[in-house]
Amino acid sequence: MSGQTVSLVMAGSGGAGVVTAGSLLLEAAARAGWYAYMTRSSGPQIRGGEAAVMVRLGTEPLASHDDCFHLLVGVDWQNVGRFAAEIPLGPDSLIIGDPGEGEVPEVFARSGAQQIALAMKALAKTIPDGRPNMVAFGAIAGLIGLTEDIVVGVLRDTLKRKGEGAIAASLAAFRAGVEAAADFPAVPRLPAMKADTSERWSITGNEATGMGALRGGVRFVAAYPITPATEVLEWLAPALPKVGGVLVQAEDELASINQIIGGSYGGVPSLTATSGPGLALMTESLGLAVAAEVPIVVVDVMRVGPSTGIATKSEQADLNIAVYGLHGDAPHLVLAPTSVADCLFTTQWAVHLAESLQTAAIVLTDQAMGQARAVMPRSAAVSFIGQREKPAALAEGVHYKRYANTASGVSPMAIPGMAGFTYTADGLEHNETGTPSSQASDHQAQLDKRLRKLTGYNYGDHWADITGDADADTAILTWGSSAGPAREALARLRAAGHRVKLVAVRLISPVQPEKFAAALAGVERVLVVEQSHSGQFHRYLRAQYDLPRQVRALHNPGPLAVRPGAIVEQITQWS
Amino acid sequence: MDACVKQREYTAKDYKSEVKPIWCPGCGDYSVLAAITRALASMQLAPENVAVVSGIGCSSRIPAYTSVYGFHGVHGRALPVATGLKIARPDLTVLVTGGDGDGFSIGGNHFLHACRRNVDLTYIVMDNQVYGMTKGQASPTTDPDWEGSKLTPDGAGIESFHPLVVALAAGANFVARCSSSDPNNVADIITQAIRHPGFSLVQVLSPCVTFRSEQLEWKHLVRTAVVDVTDDAARAARRLMTDDGFNVGKVLYKGDRPAYQPEPKGMAAVAELESDFAL
């Protein structure tokens, strides 16, 4: 991360409005010309309960939280202590608490952070319809250098339906917060930015995933709701029909994946989104899509596992099931976006690959990335749109071979409605025409072709995001949302004079041994960074690739995010 | 070429593939296959505009034996595949074929929701009250005292499932029962089922002579039901709860609930959706 940043947390119980205030802050920051990254943490309650928004604002695009937060504002302290481990503070941090809501919880106080009182509730009460969260918003704005003229615009736009009264009340509470914080201890202030005319988006990873699906050509979605994947579907449900598509809420995950197999067999690019427990239920039919060569995309927004784990917290521990969960030899695609913005690109690419190669693609995102909101530059349109190879006209009396053993391994695929090409798609092993076969020769030929079409394909340079020094002696290998903190660690390490590069793998499977070897040429040691207890990615790399002799692994289970400082520390202390 | 295809008259044979069935001699499914091809011929549906979808089991092999588009998937999931296909491609005629185990045991939840959802599918269940492909175990429709399975040597011991009554309760809109011993009647009922908008359930008593040889008697036990089709689900359910299962040859219930077919609302360019995110 180059440029300046400030990191803050707003916490409170359900109804305190911290998520609303966080959204307003993001919107205002974007108008101030800053970039933003916001994650949320909530308790297990369905509604209400404690909540916290973790916000980082900066002068350059952001993909990660910092090691430590500069500011924690507790609108109240009810059960917020449960998040303490997710909110690292230090002696340079500032905690603002409402004295009417009791002492700052010991778990925060012991960080040594400075504490200051702000009677948010009492101040809000002095203003008709004033709310404590707006007082908190004002205090934060005053401290970080967000000017009132921008906030006025945001309040006008977001509250216009509620009327002038609501706008005035919010603004008054906001001003009270600004005023109260005027003589508070300083936290980093961000500079006013020049008017920026480039287009910006405020988007979550889950929304970006939905957009990537549509850009890739997906027009049929069937899914069963599951945290934290539901927002992908909630965005798609109204969006799909506008572009000529349809979304169906299926009765369960087994129905979801089989419905999209049906839709795709019918010629319509199809996708479902789920989380770990749903992916587990879908694995049999993933194999069906592989065997019957029906293109489908399954997005897995990973959460803490195993079993139902922790529904609202992030982990990268579904890698094993995504790669190895299918029975038999079932080559398929596994991809992982490396940032909120990249959810769009990778999902679009996954659709393209699934359609081109007529197979199943699993896209592994996670809660941290999926539910994070970023203010980022508008995502440029990329050109790939799934293209399914269609059969050419057949000579009289020639039978269509749906599973023709071609050189590329891809067999031209007929779509119902095409006369002269009727065939039966089959999950049973079959011969080239699709007739079920138990012969070893047919099995061998079809296995070979299904593998060949994946290993022989040219994936170009998209297989990984590679940044850093070309002559690096040290490499950080990572994937998914762990790439965010790794990118920031890379910048810090290079600024400190280390020769280091980052390889964030986007195409998990099939493996790219030659490209991987080229990327690591000259590298003497690698640090593998991921968020799983057993080091699934580390083990996968060891099994599939030649690694340099010196390998270290940094792998923590969820829900605590990998911090850039932890990565920097691993490398600087490695001598 | 295209025009010639359209002018040609299709016969039942045109809907049959060259693949030889794996069924045992005497299996009821042969005549159901014949009835399906006859029904398609009677409607003169172009083979390329018809799809037959199935799961796993003896009767689920039917797609490979037809010359229309086919999909032979995994156990119990034929209805979701067919649902996705029909919703994505409403222009196709979609049939689903399978057995009692595939449909009512492993696929039970999908069966309930297919009845409820009412997508325009024709579901033909060949019910032989046994798992034939795995060599003779109790299925959901097997009587509780049947001791023919090594897996349940003292009998299944649980009540058999009543698919037609469950279908009615779940909202099915077209319910019929027929017997493979009368393929012309099966063809006629399948034709009516295809013509009926929404989900249609056709239960065909189709004996497994290998593992339930006593079912050879079914052709003597079945009788043409002496009832008219009703649009009163409660009345239909009462009849079905009290009959012995051998009243066949009729559509027993027909409702007029509209079929579920979500429609795209527009054909906007994807770029127009970017306004959702723009600041």
Side-chain angles (χ1 to χ4, degrees), chain B residues 17-278:
Chain B
S17 79
E18 290 154 12
V19 180
K20 195 175 167 293
I22 54 156
W23 298 324
C24 309
C27 176
D29 295 350
Y30 285 102
S31 74
V32 182
L33 172 62
I36 289 170
T37 59
R38 268 182 234 179
L40 295 175
S42 77
M43 299 179 75
Q44 288 294 299
L45 294 169
E48 66 270 18
N49 294 331
V50 179
V52 182
V53 178
S54 70
I56 294 296
C58 299
S59 51
S60 287
R61 290 283 183 133
I62 278 187
Y65 307 148
T66 68
S67 64
V68 299
Y69 278 92
F71 192 97
H72 183 209
V74 294
H75 197 27
R77 318 293 164 210
L79 285 169
V81 171
T83 298
L85 176 59
K86 180 68 185 181
I87 288 174
R89 289 291 307 278
D91 56 311
L92 302 174
T93 297
V94 182
L95 313 184
V96 189
T97 60
D100 37 299
D102 187 74
F104 309 139
S105 195
I106 184 166
N109 193 33
H110 308 310
F111 174 60
L112 292 180
H113 292 278
C115 294
R116 235 188 106 212
R117 195 176 276 123
N118 205 28
V119 171
D120 189 11
L121 304 171
T122 299
Y123 186 27
I124 303 157
V125 184
M126 283 146 267
D127 191 347
N128 56 14
Q129 302 174 358
V130 75
Y131 285 93
M133 190 161 264
T134 50
K135 302 196 183 342
Q137 295 82 28
S139 90
T141 52
T142 302
D143 289 332
D145 59 353
W146 181 68
E147 294 177 0
S149 167
K150 290 177 187 166
L151 209 55
T152 50
D154 301 323
I158 52 173
E159 277 307 307
S160 54
F161 183 81
H162 209 313
L164 301 188
V165 178
V166 172
L168 287 168
N173 221 14
F174 180 108
V175 168
R177 187 197 278 144
C178 43
S179 163
S180 66
S181 59
D182 186 354
N184 284 330
N185 172 254
V186 179
D188 174 53
I189 291 197
I190 290 173
T191 305
Q192 291 185 54
I194 293 172
R195 292 212 164 105
H196 184 82
F199 181 78
S200 309
L201 174 63
V202 180
Q203 180 193 30
V204 191
L205 303 182
S206 178
C208 173
V209 299
T210 301
F211 297 104
R212 304 286 313 253
S213 55
E214 72 277 16
Q215 289 176 349
L216 279 166
E217 280 305 300
W218 277 4
K219 59 176 176 279
H220 304 300
L221 294 174
V222 293
R223 66 189 89 81
T224 302
V226 287
V227 293
D228 294 323
V229 59
T230 175
D231 60 358
D232 179 341
R235 187 155 163 245
R238 265 197 308 279
R239 280 176 182 167
L240 286 162
M241 289 294 279
T242 50
D243 83 359
D244 62 357
F246 291 108
N247 287 312
V248 297
K250 284 281 177 70
V251 177
L252 301 165
Y253 171 79
K254 211 195 276 194
D256 59 359
R257 214 151 56 83
Y260 174 76
Q261 182 62 53
E263 296 285 342
K265 294 192 178 95
M267 291 300 285
V270 172
E272 290 176 38
L273 298 170
E274 291 183 6
S275 60
D276 282 11
F277 314 120

Side-chain angles (χ1 to χ4, degrees), chain A residues 177-406:
Chain A
V178 174
E179 206 171 296
D183 55 357
F184 281 7
V187 299
R189 287 177 78 85
L190 295 184
M193 303 288 282
K194 276 190 207 141
D196 186 347
T197 52
S198 66
E199 287 180 76
R200 283 197 198 184
W201 281 0
S202 168
I203 191 167
T204 67
N206 280 342
E207 290 167 346
T209 298
M211 189 69 181
L214 294 192
R215 280 194 179 173
V218 165
R219 293 297 179 271
F220 180 63
V221 172
Y224 190 74
I226 184 168
T227 305
T230 310
E231 293 99 345
V232 177
L233 311 166
E234 287 176 339
W235 185 79
L236 280 168
L240 252 177
K242 289 180 195 160
V243 296
V246 167
L247 180 140
V248 175
Q249 182 178 327
E251 57 269 28
D252 57 30
E253 283 87 351
L254 306 153
S256 306
I257 188 165
N258 282 283
Q259 283 195 17
I260 66 165
I261 288 172
S264 178
Y265 167 78
V268 180
S270 302
L271 171 144
T272 188
T274 188
S275 191
L279 182 68
L281 290 172
M282 290 178 183
T283 50
E284 184 196 22
S285 294
L286 276 160
L288 169 62
V290 170
E293 302 198 46
V294 178
I296 55 163
V297 177
V298 175
V299 175
D300 172 16
V301 186
M302 296 179 285
R303 65 194 221 185
V304 168
S307 191
T308 27
I310 310 176
T312 54
K313 309 277 179 176
S314 205
E315 202 164 66
Q316 295 179 294
D318 292 351
L319 184 126
N320 282 351
I321 186 182
V323 173
Y324 299 119
L326 284 61
H327 66 274
D329 284 313
H332 61 284
L333 299 155
V334 180
L335 301 97
T338 62
S339 68
V340 170
D342 193 49
C343 286
L344 197 162
F345 176 89
T346 298
T347 307
Q348 183 178 357
W349 191 41
V351 179
H352 171 77
L353 292 178
E355 291 288 317
S356 302
L357 297 170
Q358 298 174 26
T359 193
I362 300 173
V363 177
L364 294 175
T365 80
D366 59 36
Q367 184 274 334
M369 194 152 67
Q371 296 192 323
R373 178 170 289 283
V375 173
M376 60 177 220
R378 172 181 174 272
S379 179
V382 280
S383 64
F384 38 65
I385 284 191
Q387 288 293 336
R388 219 178 275 187
E389 193 177 336
K390 289 198 175 126
L394 296 170
E396 188 69 32
V398 174
H399 201 289
Y400 169 54
K401 288 182 175 173
R402 163 65 186 104
Y403 300 107
N405 197 356
T406 60

Side-chain angles (χ1 to χ4, degrees), chain A residues 370-461:
Chain A
Q371 296 192 323
R373 178 170 289 283
V375 173
M376 60 177 220
R378 172 181 174 272
S379 179
V382 280
S383 64
F384 38 65
I385 284 191
Q387 288 293 336
R388 219 178 275 187
E389 193 177 336
K390 289 198 175 126
L394 296 170
E396 188 69 32
V398 174
H399 201 289
Y400 169 54
K401 288 182 175 173
R402 163 65 186 104
Y403 300 107
N405 197 356
T406 60
S408 70
V410 176
S411 319
M413 180 177 182
I415 304 300
M418 291 174 67
F421 294 97
T422 56
Y423 75 99
T424 292
D426 210 316
L428 275 177
E429 192 54 282
H430 41 256
N431 61 21
E432 287 184 278
T433 61
T435 304
S437 168
S438 53
Q439 289 183 39
S441 56
D442 286 327
H443 183 46
Q444 180 76 47
Q446 292 294 319
L447 283 174
D448 286 347
K449 124 178 174 62
R450 293 195 291 256
L451 181 63
R452 187 166 69 242
K453 67 180 181 177
L454 293 195
T455 53
Y457 186 83
N458 181 6
Y459 298 91
D461 293 331

Side-chain angles (χ1 to χ4, degrees), chain A residues 6 8-10 21-22 24-29 32 34 55 57 71 73 94 96 118 132-152 154-155 170-171 173-182 184-192:
Chain A
V6 60
L8 59 102
V9 180
M10 243 186 298
L24 292 172
L25 178 60
L26 230 63
E27 178 87 26
W34 302 333
V55 184
L57 306 175
L71 177 63
V73 183
L94 174 66
I96 299 177
L118 173 59
N133 65 334
M134 295 308 297
V135 178
F137 180 26
I140 292 165
L143 285 167
I144 66 172
L146 186 65
T147 55
E148 186 184 301
D149 54 328
I150 288 168
V151 175
V152 170
V154 171
L155 289 178
S170 290
L171 199 56
F174 174 84
R175 280 186 188 130
V178 174
E179 206 171 296
F184 281 7
V187 299
R189 287 177 78 85
L190 295 184

